[in-house]
């Protein structure tokens, strides 16, 4: 069994506030990107409710997109157990501000991943093309790190609502 939960959210091209779009990207990383994410730490390693879990958000989607959380229950746990655990993690993000240290760690991971992707010219060209196709300026690429750095814990909490 596999659980996939999706929430309708705006992308960078459709959001009334670009701050919200960047905050959603940070929120997805807090929840489910990497070994230090909340889903990995709490549900895979901690409570052993999931054998895999991740969150994803497509910042550069041309149209409104989905904030996706997905996972596979571990052992005797059911899809309902996993769904409730996902909802609990989302609720934590909604009700408690992210700590400064967690926010800083996540931002560094997002920025590092973004910079490493530029090591290959084909990926950089693909990104530039995608920005153009989505009606965004290719110069947005140069501002990415600055925009991620500007995201606050309050903005993440607000985006999670």
């Amino acid at each position: 069994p596999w659980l996939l939960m999706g929430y309708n959210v705006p992308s960078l091209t459709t959001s009334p506030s670009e701050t919200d779009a960047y905050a959603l990207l940070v929120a997805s990383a807090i929840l489910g990107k990497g070994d230090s994410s909340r889903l990995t730490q709490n549900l895979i390693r901690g409570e052993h409710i999931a054998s895999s879990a991740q969150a994803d958000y497509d910042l550069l989607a041309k149209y409104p997109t989905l904030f996706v959380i997905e996972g596979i229950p571990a052992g005797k746990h059911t899809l309902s157990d996993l769904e409730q655990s996902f909802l609990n993690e989302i609720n934590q993000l909604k009700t408690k501000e992210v700590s400064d240290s967690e926010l800083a760690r996540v931002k560094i991971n997002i920025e590092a991943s973004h910079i490493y992707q530029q090591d290959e010219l084909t990926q950089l060209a693909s990104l530039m093309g995608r920005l153009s196709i989505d009606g965004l300026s290719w110069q947005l690429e140069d501002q990415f790190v600055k925009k991620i750095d500007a995201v606050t814990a309050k903005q993440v909490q607000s985006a999670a609502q």
Side-chain angles (χ1 to χ4, degrees):
W2 173 50
L3 178 63
L4 180 67
M5 297 169 57
Y7 297 89
N8 292 314
V9 293
S11 64
L12 186 58
T13 58
T14 63
S15 180
S17 162
E18 74 175 17
T19 302
D20 291 343
Y22 285 101
L24 283 166
L25 183 64
V26 172
S28 74
I30 289 167
L31 282 176
K33 291 280 190 235
D35 289 338
S36 60
S37 71
R38 290 183 180 187
L39 297 179
T40 299
Q41 290 294 315
N42 299 339
L43 305 185
I44 296 175
R45 292 189 183 141
E47 299 176 34
H48 304 287
I49 290 172
S51 60
S52 74
Q54 64 183 27
D56 196 30
Y57 168 71
D58 187 1
L59 175 72
L60 300 178
K62 186 172 182 130
Y63 302 107
T65 189
L66 290 175
F67 187 99
V68 175
I69 301 173
E70 61 182 299
I72 298 171
K76 300 174 189 173
H77 292 283
T78 66
L79 289 173
S80 296
D81 296 338
L82 186 57
E83 179 181 16
Q84 188 56 53
S85 295
F86 282 172
L87 293 173
N88 290 343
E89 291 297 331
I90 293 167
N91 193 46
Q92 288 288 330
L93 202 57
K94 287 180 176 182
T95 58
K96 293 184 181 174
E97 263 191 37
V98 177
S99 71
D100 291 340
S101 61
E102 183 178 26
L103 185 60
R105 178 180 37 74
V106 166
K107 287 180 181 181
I108 288 169
N109 288 343
I110 292 171
E111 293 165 5
S113 174
H114 181 75
I115 290 167
Y116 289 137
Q117 286 178 344
Q118 296 175 20
D119 284 348
E120 291 188 37
L121 288 178
T122 55
Q123 287 194 349
L124 186 56
S126 176
L127 175 61
M128 297 294 184
R130 185 166 183 211
L131 288 168
S132 294
I133 288 169
D134 290 347
L136 298 168
S137 169
W138 63 268
Q139 287 125 338
L140 197 60
E141 163 59 24
D142 293 335
Q143 301 167 9
F144 181 82
V145 170
K146 185 173 81 175
K147 300 285 187 181
I148 292 297
D149 276 341
V151 173
T152 67
K154 282 254 188 250
Q155 291 167 337
V156 171
Q157 187 178 20
S158 174
Q161 302 301 320

